[in-house]
């Protein structure tokens, strides 16, 4: 039977030390200094952190959720300290050590983002030796599979360590001794933002604006009011429209039509540009599973929209 994949990835030491001290992390961005796409894992598979030599050990990991390329500044905006740095400048400095352009690069360069949920970090006494097949020449990562002896041993050892330490188990959604399987990732705010940005092809659903720094991922039903960090609860909107959407001055109907409240005119004696968009059909992803949930849009119409 075909197993599931897992990755052991060489990990920046400063990134690791910064994040292992952060309590209650729900997600992290395991960045790559060059904008390389990552197709090695499926969502829900295991991504493990291998420290630089001479520490040939697995020191933690997380559940792979999503991968894409982002300008460094937007990766910082999406994940903040979950990028493994205290500031954007510190993050840039860490990344530029690995880039051929050098430390004087002032551009907003793109990086690879491998987004992990449910991250875990072991204390030194619990570090796990890498498999015997690991080569010191590996500078990025190596893939294993649980259908193979080494891959299964790594998966079982990590899972046993998490159970013993009473950390969230990578196998929490299956029987303790069941077949290794993918775990449903619990998306965080950063992963939600990146996912929504991509499925809307980096364009505002209403205006088709594509200036990326001006776009924001909006929750249709706010997370604090029972909404989820899921594609079907998201819209990619230009920043001003996002603000109006959250404040209830605009909405999207369950049939995906944009509506503007008369309250803008009444309260602000303005809104001509917004009223020009009233009644327009918004752009949504082709896949139904990624389109806004009509029931959630109906909730926004009923509970947020100012008639």
């Amino acid at each position: 039977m075909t197993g599931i994949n897992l990755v052991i990835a060489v990990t920046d030491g400063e990134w690791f030390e910064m994040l292992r001290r952060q309590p209650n992390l729900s997600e992290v961005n395991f960045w790559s200094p060059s904008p390389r796409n990552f197709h090695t894992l499926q969502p829900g598979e295991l991504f493990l952190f291998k420290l630089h030599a001479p520490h040939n050990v697995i020191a933690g990991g997380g559940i792979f959720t999503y991968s894409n390329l982002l300008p460094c500044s937007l990766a910082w905006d999406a994940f903040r300290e979950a990028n493994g740095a205290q500031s954007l400048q510190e993050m840039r400095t860490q990344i530029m050590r690995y880039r051929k352009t050098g430390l004087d690069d002032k551009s907003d360069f793109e990086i690879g983002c491998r987004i992990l949920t449910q991250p875990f970090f072991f204390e030194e006494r619990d570090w796990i030796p890498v498999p015997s097949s690991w080569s010191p020449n590996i500078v990025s990562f190596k893939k294993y599979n649980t259908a193979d002896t080494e891959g299964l041993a790594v998966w079982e050892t990590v899972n046993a360590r998490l159970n013993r330490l009473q950390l969230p188990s990578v196998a929490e959604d299956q029987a303790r001794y069941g077949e290794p399987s993918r775990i449903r990732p619990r998306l965080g705010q950063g992963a939600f933002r990146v996912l929504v940005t991509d499925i809307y092809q980096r364009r505002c659903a209403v205006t088709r604006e594509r200036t990326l720094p001006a776009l924001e991922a909006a929750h249709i039903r706010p997370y604090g009011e029972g909404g989820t960090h899921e594609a079907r609860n998201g819209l990619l909107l230009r920043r001003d429209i996002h603000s109006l959407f959250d404040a209830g001055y605009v909405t999207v109907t369950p049939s995906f039509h944009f509506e503007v409240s008369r309250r803008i005119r009444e309260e602000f004696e303005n809104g001509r540009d917004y009223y020009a968009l009233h009644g327009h059909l918004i752009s949504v992803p082709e896949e139904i599973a990624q389109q806004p949930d009509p029931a959630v849009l109906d909730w926004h119409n009923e509970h947020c929209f100012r008639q």
Side-chain angles (χ1 to χ4, degrees), residues 64-83:
F64 176 74
T65 300
Y66 196 67
S67 174
N68 83 337
L69 310 179
L70 282 178
C72 192
S73 65
L74 293 184
W76 173 258
D77 286 344
F79 297 100
R80 312 294 291 185
E81 288 82 1
N83 285 294

Side-chain angles (χ1 to χ4, degrees), residues 18-302:
M18 159 72 180
L19 292 176
R20 74 186 295 196
R21 296 192 296 267
Q22 305 302 310
N24 304 318
L25 278 174
S26 63
E27 62 183 354
V28 297
N29 178 25
F30 191 100
W31 45 257
S32 166
S34 58
R36 296 177 181 172
N37 287 313
F38 180 81
H39 303 296
T40 307
L41 296 179
Q42 295 295 315
E45 294 183 323
L46 195 58
F47 191 107
L48 299 172
F49 310 145
K50 187 267 177 196
L51 300 184
H52 280 280
H55 302 296
N56 291 313
V57 294
I58 297 167
I63 307 301
F64 176 74
T65 300
Y66 196 67
S67 174
N68 83 337
L69 310 179
L70 282 178
C72 192
S73 65
L74 293 184
W76 173 258
D77 286 344
F79 297 100
R80 312 294 291 185
E81 288 82 1
N83 285 294
Q86 296 284 359
S87 67
L88 172 58
Q89 185 55 50
E90 182 178 304
M91 176 185 172
R92 285 177 56 89
T93 300
Q94 290 179 9
I95 295 171
M96 285 191 291
R97 293 198 198 106
Y98 298 97
R99 292 174 62 87
K100 296 179 180 179
T101 53
L103 296 176
D104 58 348
D105 187 351
K106 304 298 183 184
S107 67
D108 192 12
F109 48 78
E110 279 197 332
I111 59 174
C113 299
R114 293 89 184 264
I115 303 163
L116 314 176
T117 64
Q118 297 117 284
F120 51 89
F121 301 88
F122 297 139
E123 297 296 332
E124 186 170 350
R125 62 180 177 274
D126 297 308
W127 289 350
I128 300 168
V130 295
S132 58
S133 65
W134 181 272
S135 167
N137 297 325
I138 298 172
V139 297
S140 183
F141 64 84
K142 182 176 180 179
K143 181 177 74 173
Y144 295 84
N145 188 281
T146 59
D148 301 322
T149 301
E150 276 194 325
L152 181 60
V154 171
W155 196 95
E156 290 180 337
T157 301
V158 170
N159 189 49
R161 192 66 43 90
L162 291 170
N163 281 324
R164 180 169 65 80
L165 298 173
Q166 297 185 328
L167 296 174
S169 171
V170 299
E172 61 187 358
D173 294 333
Q174 64 181 38
R176 184 171 181 180
Y177 297 104
E179 184 81 14
S181 62
R182 293 198 293 267
I183 308 303
R184 186 173 186 270
R186 296 191 289 268
L187 299 188
Q189 173 67 35
F192 169 80
R193 177 173 179 178
V194 173
L195 173 63
V196 170
T197 298
D198 278 2
I199 64 175
Y200 282 85
Q201 300 181 336
R202 304 191 175 195
R203 302 190 73 165
C204 173
V206 177
T207 67
R208 307 304 289 152
E209 174 63 53
R210 58 184 182 184
T211 304
L212 195 52
L215 305 181
E216 295 178 343
H219 288 85
I220 300 169
R221 182 167 183 165
Y223 186 74
E225 296 187 38
T228 61
H229 296 314
E230 302 288 344
R232 303 211 72 191
N233 189 40
L235 289 166
L236 189 66
L237 300 175
R238 199 174 66 195
R239 184 171 291 132
D240 58 327
I241 293 178
H242 183 189
S243 296
L244 292 171
F245 185 85
D246 285 351
Y249 289 104
V250 301
T251 194
V252 175
T253 70
S255 61
F256 303 149
H257 288 85
F258 185 67
E259 291 195 352
V260 183
S261 170
R262 58 183 173 80
R263 300 277 291 274
I264 293 180
R265 182 183 295 111
E266 293 174 355
E267 296 180 19
F268 306 107
E269 299 180 356
N270 206 332
R272 180 181 61 185
D273 291 342
Y274 302 118
Y275 288 115
L277 296 168
H278 182 80
H280 284 203
L281 186 67
I282 70 166
S283 298
V284 298
E286 290 185 4
E287 292 187 28
I288 294 177
Q290 296 179 337
Q291 294 176 359
D293 184 345
V296 181
L297 290 171
D298 187 62
W299 182 93
H300 188 272
N301 292 177
E302 181 178 349

